[in-house]
Amino acid sequence: MVAYGLGELPGTSIAGAADVIQGETGEFPHVPQLPDRGLGADMVGRTIGLLDSINVDRGPRSWRISPRPGRFSHRTGDLLALDLDTCEEVWGGARRIKAQVVGPWTLGSRIEMSNGHLVLTDRGAMRDLTEALIHGIRAHVADLGRRFDAPVSIQLDEPELPTVVTGALSGTSDFDRIPAVPAPDVAERLNEVFATIDVEDTYLNLCGSAPRWEIARQSGARTVQVTMDRIDGHRQLDGFGETISGGTRIGLGITRPGVQVDQRLERPHALVVQVERLFTRVGVDPQLLGTGVDIHPRTGIGGGTLVDAAMAYRMARCVAEMLERDHI
């Protein structure tokens, strides 16, 4: 069991963020993302900076594929290199490290083709974008491995996945709805990415919405990250039980910014009880509490202050330690 952060942190100081990450999750640090710094520092802009074979620039409504390199894609790539330089200075090295990249479905939902239609609507464009993403991840992993002399894990963030599979994604206008993509097709493309990037560990971030467990199980990710209070109702509980019993690790997002670990450890203990009750409701092997679960903050940790975020990280670490001690 391990505690870690999902990626985004508040503020504009990469050194400050790196310091919090090292202090609270030193055994498994992650590359920080600071969306408060503006366009290109968000999760999509950061990933676009990895796409060497496809030129993407800022369009009138969103990111758009361009016939020539744009200044925004150059800026995001340069910003990432500077961020990693700072992390090297703060951390020195790492036993292992995690990087976060936007997955193909969210990327295809946020980037337009030159005709104004989303990449998601064109099978060939999605294939090219996925290939560019895979090559970009491989180069990123190689760079991180050289810098930190440590194995690298990759987390794919897919916040748009619910809209993709339900047909709720808008096209060229609010009245133009893009047809739903079948869940097996979604899982197949995710599996293609995970199977070809050659990293130590793989994570699929489905936090912030009700998890699509059939996609989680077929995606090829070793760990699927979810928000715990979204696991509610018979279908969700059954999906959770089937997924974790089938060998997929679950990252549970349960801690919030600004909630301190109290001296008597009553607050982390209350969260431990919530996790244990979830397992009791599902009826799976209690031993999986120690071997099949990781703990991380909930989504939305990019708001507030860095101090608040540090508290959420510290709480996650404390809950993970208590669960590990009680169930291994």
Side-chain angles (χ1 to χ4, degrees):
M1 176 175 288
V2 68
Y4 50 76
L6 289 179
E8 289 193 349
L9 286 167
T12 58
S13 170
I14 193 70
D19 186 57
V20 165
I21 291 167
Q22 182 184 50
E24 304 301 338
T25 60
E27 291 189 1
F28 193 25
H30 65 83
V31 178
Q33 297 170 344
L34 304 180
D36 287 349
R37 291 188 297 183
L39 186 65
D42 60 296
M43 63 169 68
V44 175
R46 174 60 60 87
T47 302
I48 284 172
L50 302 177
L51 306 178
D52 286 340
S53 58
I54 291 181
N55 300 317
V56 181
D57 207 347
R58 190 63 183 173
R61 294 184 304 172
S62 64
W63 297 99
R64 176 172 285 193
I65 292 178
S66 170
R68 62 188 61 85
R71 63 188 182 93
F72 281 114
S73 57
H74 277 309
R75 177 180 180 272
T76 57
D78 293 342
L79 188 62
L80 174 58
L82 291 173
D83 287 354
L84 295 179
D85 289 342
T86 301
C87 289
E88 278 190 276
E89 293 176 5
V90 175
W91 297 341
R95 292 175 56 186
R96 56 177 177 152
I97 190 169
K98 177 169 70 71
Q100 302 76 221
V101 179
V102 170
W105 294 108
T106 295
L107 209 58
S109 303
R110 302 281 184 91
I111 300 176
E112 296 178 346
M113 297 180 291
S114 58
N115 61 9
H117 291 279
L118 294 176
V119 170
L120 179 70
T121 63
D122 186 284
R123 186 178 297 272
M126 270 299 289
R127 181 186 62 247
D128 293 343
L129 183 64
T130 302
E131 290 177 357
L133 177 63
I134 290 170
H135 288 302
I137 292 174
R138 285 173 171 169
H140 189 35
V141 168
D143 182 32
L144 290 170
R146 286 191 298 267
R147 285 175 177 269
F148 297 99
D149 191 24
V152 179
S153 298
I154 287 292
Q155 170 186 309
L156 288 188
D157 294 330
E158 284 285 11
E160 289 287 359
L161 192 141
T163 62
V164 169
V165 297
T166 59
L169 190 66
S170 297
T172 54
S173 71
D174 291 339
F175 302 102
D176 175 25
R177 293 291 174 181
I178 296 173
V181 179
D185 293 350
V186 172
E188 182 180 5
R189 189 170 297 273
L190 292 170
N191 202 306
E192 177 187 355
V193 176
F194 284 129
T196 54
I197 56 177
D198 191 22
V199 293
E200 181 190 50
D201 218 341
T202 52
Y203 297 78
L204 177 61
N205 180 4
L206 301 181
C207 291
S209 61
R212 299 295 299 240
W213 293 110
E214 73 278 23
I215 294 174
R217 289 190 294 273
Q218 298 169 22
S219 68
R222 183 167 181 266
T223 299
V224 175
Q225 300 151 323
V226 299
T227 305
M228 191 173 75
D229 61 12
R230 296 289 185 143
I231 307 172
D232 192 28
H234 292 300
R235 180 175 296 181
Q236 279 294 318
L237 292 171
D238 289 346
F240 172 82
E242 185 177 350
T243 302
I244 194 169
S245 298
T248 301
R249 291 182 63 82
I250 305 295
L252 289 176
I254 60 176
T255 65
R256 300 175 183 270
V259 180
Q260 288 185 299
V261 175
D262 56 303
Q263 189 171 8
R264 298 178 63 179
L265 301 182
E266 291 178 348
R267 294 190 188 107
H269 181 262
L271 292 176
V272 167
V273 170
Q274 289 182 29
V275 176
E276 292 173 337
R277 285 176 178 169
L278 170 63
F279 272 69
T280 300
R281 290 176 67 191
V282 175
V284 297
D285 185 353
Q287 186 178 359
L288 290 173
L289 273 167
T291 61
V293 172
D294 295 328
I295 302 296
H296 54 78
R298 297 162 54 93
T299 55
I301 201 149
T305 69
L306 200 53
V307 173
D308 292 335
M311 292 179 186
Y313 277 41
R314 189 170 303 133
M315 184 70 75
R317 178 161 51 88
C318 188
V319 170
E321 289 171 351
M322 293 174 76
L323 282 168
E324 187 174 39
R325 182 182 65 238
D326 293 344
H327 295 281
I328 290 185

